[in-house]
Amino acid sequence: MGTSDCGHEISMATPSVGEAGKTGAWRSERPVLVAPEACLAVKAGRITCQLCWVYCPDACVTRSVGPAIDLTYCKGCGICAAVCPAKALEMQPEHEPGTCGR
Ligand code: SF4
Ligand code: SF4
């Protein structure tokens, strides 16, 4: 499924339940916006950078000033944190060692 943005067509699907259920259910790490003030979009006060949105394979990052992440479908791959040039996103363990709760 494609979506149109600024006149360019990009390939991006809408998150939905797949064969393995909701991908967020088997995540072991989650992305956390640890330094929102460092986010280039927040600094600029407008929609810029957006690399986390572009590269998320599950389309669960918003295109916005400061990303919001849909943890129902985030599978914890860590790509968003890896591509963030400002180190504003960080992967953190889903559970504390020795616990099983969310
Ligand atoms: S960890 Fe992966 S799936 Fe989750 S928001 Fe980041 S890029 Fe998307
Ligand atoms: S990749 Fe990092 S700096 Fe760029 S919009 Fe996302 S959180 Fe902000």
Side-chain angles (χ1 to χ4, degrees):
M1 181 183 299
T3 184
S4 183
D5 185 64
C6 302
H8 299 285
E9 194 76 17
I10 61 172
S11 176
M12 183 171 278
T14 303
S16 60
V17 180
E19 290 287 319
K22 292 179 179 173
T23 42
W26 41 267
R27 183 181 58 241
S28 62
E29 288 187 321
R30 65 170 59 193
V32 177
L33 190 63
V34 290
E37 70 285 351
C39 168
L40 300 181
V42 171
K43 275 186 171 177
R46 63 186 173 85
I47 294 187
T48 185
C49 181
Q50 307 298 300
L51 289 177
C52 49
W53 171 75
V54 169
Y55 284 101
C56 174
D58 284 339
C60 53
V61 180
T62 58
R63 183 175 183 268
S64 54
V65 176
I69 296 169
D70 183 348
L71 292 173
T72 303
Y73 293 103
C74 165
K75 62 187 172 194
C77 67
I79 292 174
C80 56
V83 299
C84 176
K87 306 293 181 212
L89 288 164
E90 181 180 289
M91 298 305 290
Q92 294 186 354
E94 187 65 24
H95 309 297
E96 291 298 317
T99 70
C100 60
R102 286 193 171 226

